[in-house]
Amino acid sequence: MYKDYIFRMKSKATGVSSPVKGAAAAGGWEMRPGGMLVQMRNSDSNQNSNPVPNIKVKVKYASSYHEVVISSQASFGELKKLLTGVTGLHTGDQKIIYKEKERDSKAFLDLCGVKDGSKMVVIEDELSRERRCVESRKNAKMEKASNEIAAIRFEVDKVAKQVASIELEINGGKKVVEMVLLNLIELLMTQLIKLDGIAADGDVKLQRRMQVKRVQKYIETLDMLKNKNSGLGKVALQQQQHFSSKTFQNKQEVNKYGKYSERVNAGAVVVTTKWETF
């Protein structure tokens, strides 16, 4: 006994398997770390040697009977998926009654006592169907709202490029036709009205709010550019008037100087003539 213990300890230190352990493994046993010999566990070999049997259950829906072949260890949820093909009911709309009790989708057939040839009834859950229809309509409505917001965002993106181009021109001192600015403001106001008419919840509502703020910002920018553009016209007119006034003054000074020169020249000729007459 003492020698076997010493040999087992040396085997652990050197990595050499003991003859006792090898014999145990060959016989379907395994050695635990504490030295205890237990039966070897192999779930894969157990499953291969003992396959799960299939059973045939009879299901009544309305006035029809259906036979379904399914694993004896399957869940009622898996059974509902198979019944969808023969009954046409959505898995969420099915109620399976077995032994006068409604069975949960997560419950297993074998644990509930279902055997080969067992009978059960399937009925339609009207409340579940109604909730699913309401949810489906809600999702369709949200999807439609999301598509409408995406279309508006596309239009606003195009206007944004035009606003950026016009802003560069006006800031550079170039006057823009005012009708162009008014048309862009009107287009943005139309998109704002469309956004106001979209009913949305959750993330779609947040997307709509972001686009509303974006449109309002571009409208304010265009209003500011329109005022600045009008100012550019006034400055140009003032510069033109100032230039015309300056030109007129220069002409007057030239004319005045010309008349003065003529008078001076005429007087000189008279003086000379008088000297000749004398």
Side-chain angles (χ1 to χ4, degrees), residues 7 11 15-22:
F7 182 79
S11 299
V16 179
S17 60
S18 64
V20 177
K21 185 175 180 180

Side-chain angles (χ1 to χ4, degrees), residues 195-213:
L195 287 170
D196 187 61
I198 297 176
D201 293 323
D203 294 339
V204 180
K205 185 177 182 179
L206 181 61
Q207 294 177 13
R208 185 191 66 181
R209 186 181 304 169
M210 291 174 60
Q211 291 305 313
V212 168
K213 291 182 178 180

